[in-house]
Each structure stands twice: as C-alpha cells, then as structure tokens.
Amino acid sequence: MSSMSDSPPRESFRLSQLIYDTRYRSLTIQVITLVLVCVGIYWLVNNLLANLANLGLQPDFSFLSSRASYDITSSIGTWLVGYTNAGTHWDATLVGLYNTLLVAFMGIVLATILGVLAGVLRLSRNWLVSRLMAVYVEGFRNVPLLLWILLIYAVFSEATPQPRDFRIGEDGTANASLIWNSIAVTNRGTYLPAPVWGANSGLLVGVFIASLIGAYAYRRYAKKLLFDTGRLLPMVWPLFAIVIVPSVLAFFVLGRPVTLSYPELTGFNFSGGFQLSNQLMALWLALSLYTGAFITEIVRAGILSVSKGQSEAAAALGVRPNRAMSLVILPQAMRVIIPPLTSQYLNLTKNSSLALAVGYADVRATLGGITLNQTGRALECMLLLGLVYLALSLAISFIMNVFNNSMKLEER
C-alpha cells in the first residue's frame, strides 16, 4: 500500500516539449541561435578564403618573423623589448603593444582622479568652483579628442624652451631653469630623475610592497571595526607611517641601495635621467582630460542618485561632510558609477589609437601602420590589431566586473 508521501510518476520527455514547454523553450531558442551564428561565421570565413584564393592570396603570418628594418623612437616598449631596426615585425608589434598599455594605464589613473575630484567639486556650494568645473566639462567633452591631442602637442613642441636654453651663460645665468633642480620640460621631451638600482635594491622593493600590503590590511581592519562596533580609527597618519617608515628605515639600513640619476645638459641635449617624449605627454594628458570630463558627469550623477536623507542622517550623527562623502555617499554611488565608468575606460583604451596623429608608436602605428605598409599584409595586420583591442577590452571589462561585484550590497 503506497503512502501519501509518494511522489507522482514523472512524465516522460517528448520532443514537442522543446517548443511548447516553457521549461525548455528558452534553451531551444538559444541553441538554435548559437547554431545559426556559427553557420553564419563559417559561411563568412569560407567565402573570404575562397575570394582570397581566387585573387591568388593566402593568409600568411610568417611576415611577423621577418626583419622590420625601421626604427622606433625611444620609449618604454623599446626598452622592454630591447628593440632595434634589426628586430622582427613581431618585436615591433610588442613595442607598440607595451606603449599602448602604458598610455592606457596612465590615462585611466589620471582620468579617474580628475573625474572623481571634478565630479565632487561640480556639486560644491561654492558658485565659482562649480562653474569652473562646468567649464572644464563642457569645454573638453564638446571638442573632438583629436583636436585636443594636436593642441597639447603643439604647446609642448612650440611653447617650451629648447635644451640649449638651459645652458648657463658667461654671466652665470640661464634662459630656463630646471623645476626643483630636477625636471626639465623642453620641446624635445620632459626629463625626469631616474632611479639607479644598486645592490640590495630588491630587498628595498620587497619591504615597500610589504608595507603597502600592511597598509591595505590596516584599512580593511579599520573599516570592519567601524561597521561592527562604530569605533573610528585614525586613517591618514597610520597609513602614512605604515608605508613610509619601514621603507625609509630599510633604505638606510641597506646602505641606500637606490640613487637617482638627474638630467644634465651635455652638448645639445640632456643626458641621464628619464625622458618622456612630447608625443606621450600630449596623448596622455589629452586622453585623461577628455575622458575625465565624461567621468565627472558620471560621478556627479552617481552622487545625485543617493537620497539626500543619507547625507542628512550622517550629519545628524555628527559625521563630518568629507567623511560622510567617503563613507556614506560614494560607496552607495559606486553601484551607479561603475557600469558607465567601465565604458569610459574602454573608450580611453581604444581612443589611444589616435596616437598616430602625433607620431607616438602605439600598436596601431607599428602593426597597423608601418608593418602593414611594408609587408602589404592588410588582412593579417587588421585581424591581429582587432584581436589586440578585443583582448584589452575584455580584460578591462573582466576587472571592472569583478570590482562591480565586490561593491554589491551585503545583506545581513
């Protein structure tokens, strides 16, 4: 005798359920769509290969191993790869890729700082400050990026002194002077002090990294303590002490393993130190200022999306306005800010391809420019170039998605 708890007999599966049963219909549609997309891609690729064969052309990537025979001006990528004109086209592509990564990273960092600061100041009760931020936003986002790149490059090239202007004359004076006796901004580039790594410098770097990890751990502990008990620990001076004090002590204990090489005028140019080309400076500043204007509006919209009751409640509890902004307003606004912020990071990375306008050797200029013209392999170069930007975009999207998930509300 069967009990009341016996489950009813399961209905056998029928093919008609793939269409009429709502449990399977969506899966069926997705599978059919995937098959149609794959068939379409196969047809397009097969048609392309057939047309190329009729023209006597076959996709071939062996050109990457042939000699490039062209120079790339001094850059981060050139130093990392050790590139010379005897290198291959693949080496030149790596130089361009590293240069693209450098300007994209620098641009994202500076654009984020500018956007957050300007977005907060845009909401300032000070009329002059808010109007100045409005002028910055409207001025940069309504003028094409290419014009800003060319304008800033013209300023660096035409409005800055020549290296010879830093030469001390017979009367002991110079037409131009170094900034803080260490930095020279010229029409050939910006020269900065460069670190010289000596013995035990690796240990010093290790101590500094450990200090950063310690500062991060302290910040997490202070934040957890605040949320759990309401006890507020000091943040500025402990973080400063955790990062700086161990590194300074290690610097002297290890015998000053890191020194600085300062730029010095020798002949017709500076030697020593580190040079940032005007092309890189113009591209970096233009991308940062342009994208920062869009981020400003994103941050402003995110802050305005938070109910005024939140700031009023913080004020009622005696929380200072700057701390209320960092602890109450911005954490809630970040859930609105991050998705469009990701799009701006992607736009900045792809807009770096405008570097060709000022002669900066990014991946568009090397692989999609000189290499393409020398080898005539337009299809292969454009395919690789597209894959490079696709990979960069997917990497940025993945990182921002992880960050976005970490900012979700944690339900108790």
Side-chain angles (χ1 to χ4, degrees):
M1 181 176 179
S2 61
S3 63
M4 295 294 294
S5 61
D6 290 343
S7 59
R10 297 182 61 182
E11 182 182 358
S12 60
F13 177 77
R14 300 187 307 274
L15 290 177
S16 60
Q17 290 179 289
L18 295 176
I19 300 177
Y20 298 106
D21 195 326
T22 56
R23 294 175 298 175
Y24 304 104
R25 185 185 302 162
S26 61
L27 180 61
T28 302
I29 294 174
Q30 293 181 53
V31 171
I32 293 175
T33 302
L34 178 61
V35 171
L36 291 177
V37 170
C38 293
V39 171
I41 294 175
Y42 172 79
W43 180 82
L44 289 174
V45 173
N46 187 61
N47 186 54
L48 173 64
L49 295 177
N51 290 333
L52 289 175
N54 293 333
L55 295 174
L57 300 175
Q58 292 293 336
D60 184 10
F61 295 92
S62 61
F63 70 93
L64 292 173
S65 60
S66 61
R67 179 172 176 173
S69 300
Y70 63 88
D71 293 315
I72 299 178
T73 55
S74 180
S75 65
I76 294 293
T78 306
W79 297 334
L80 289 177
V81 179
Y83 176 82
T84 64
N85 57 15
T88 63
H89 286 292
W90 175 249
D91 295 331
T93 300
L94 289 179
V95 172
L97 177 59
Y98 290 143
N99 289 340
T100 297
L101 291 173
L102 174 65
V103 73
F105 175 77
M106 293 171 59
I108 286 174
V109 171
L110 183 56
T112 303
I113 295 173
L114 292 174
V116 172
L117 291 177
V120 174
L121 294 176
R122 187 92 154 82
L123 298 172
S124 173
R125 296 180 181 178
N126 187 307
W127 183 88
L128 179 60
V129 172
S130 62
R131 291 302 94 191
L132 286 176
M133 293 302 101
V135 170
Y136 159 66
V137 170
E138 300 302 331
F140 274 90
R141 73 174 183 174
N142 291 310
V143 176
L145 174 59
L146 180 60
L147 295 183
W148 284 117
I149 295 175
L150 295 175
L151 176 61
I152 296 176
Y153 179 70
V155 170
F156 274 104
S157 300
E158 304 297 334
T160 53
Q162 302 180 33
R164 67 183 182 186
D165 294 332
F166 290 83
R167 189 180 305 279
I168 298 177
E170 296 180 357
D171 56 354
T173 61
N175 296 329
S177 59
L178 296 175
I179 302 175
W180 300 313
N181 295 323
S182 304
I183 303 174
V185 181
T186 75
N187 61 354
R188 295 186 184 180
T190 300
Y191 298 86
L192 308 168
V196 178
W197 306 98
N200 297 324
S201 58
L203 293 176
L204 180 61
V205 173
V207 171
F208 180 71
I209 294 175
S211 300
L212 292 178
I213 296 174
Y216 175 74
Y218 174 81
R219 185 178 181 278
R220 289 200 61 178
Y221 169 75
K223 185 177 180 181
K224 184 177 185 301
L225 185 66
L226 175 64
F227 290 165
D228 292 344
T229 66
R231 181 185 174 192
L232 183 62
L233 295 178
M235 294 294 295
V236 178
W237 70 263
L239 291 178
F240 182 82
I242 292 174
V243 173
I244 300 300
V245 172
S247 301
V248 172
L249 291 177
F251 176 77
F252 288 103
V253 170
L254 296 174
R256 301 182 180 183
V258 179
T259 57
L260 292 177
S261 170
Y262 293 93
E264 297 180 357
L265 185 62
T266 56
F268 297 99
N269 205 350
F270 282 92
S271 62
F274 178 76
Q275 179 187 4
L276 292 177
S277 65
N278 287 336
Q279 293 88 342
L280 173 59
M281 294 293 293
L283 184 64
W284 173 40
L285 293 178
L287 286 173
S288 301
L289 292 169
Y290 181 80
T291 308
F294 289 91
I295 296 177
T296 298
E297 292 299 274
I298 293 173
V299 172
R300 184 172 73 97
I303 294 175
L304 291 177
S305 69
V306 180
S307 172
K308 289 185 178 180
Q310 298 292 314
S311 57
E312 292 172 353
L317 293 173
V319 181
R320 295 193 301 270
N322 58 340
R323 193 171 292 276
M325 177 63 69
S326 61
L327 295 178
V328 179
I329 307 301
L330 279 181
Q332 298 182 69
M334 287 300 291
R335 290 185 283 273
V336 179
I337 292 173
I338 293 175
L341 185 64
T342 303
S343 298
Q344 292 304 319
Y345 288 168
L346 296 176
N347 289 337
L348 186 148
T349 303
K350 291 179 287 188
N351 286 338
S352 65
S353 60
L354 294 173
L356 192 63
V358 291
Y360 180 70
D362 71 328
V363 69
R364 167 65 180 87
T366 55
L367 178 62
I370 303 176
T371 294
L372 187 152
N373 292 329
Q374 284 190 357
T375 62
R377 293 289 179 176
L379 175 65
E380 293 87 341
C381 289
M382 288 297 102
L383 178 61
L384 290 175
L385 193 61
L387 291 176
V388 166
Y389 283 110
L390 176 62
L392 293 178
S393 299
L394 292 177
I396 294 173
S397 298
F398 173 77
I399 294 173
M400 293 302 295
N401 286 335
V402 172
F403 180 52
N404 188 33
N405 291 332
S406 68
M407 298 299 296
K408 288 183 178 179
L409 284 174
E410 297 181 4
E411 299 182 0
R412 299 182 183 272

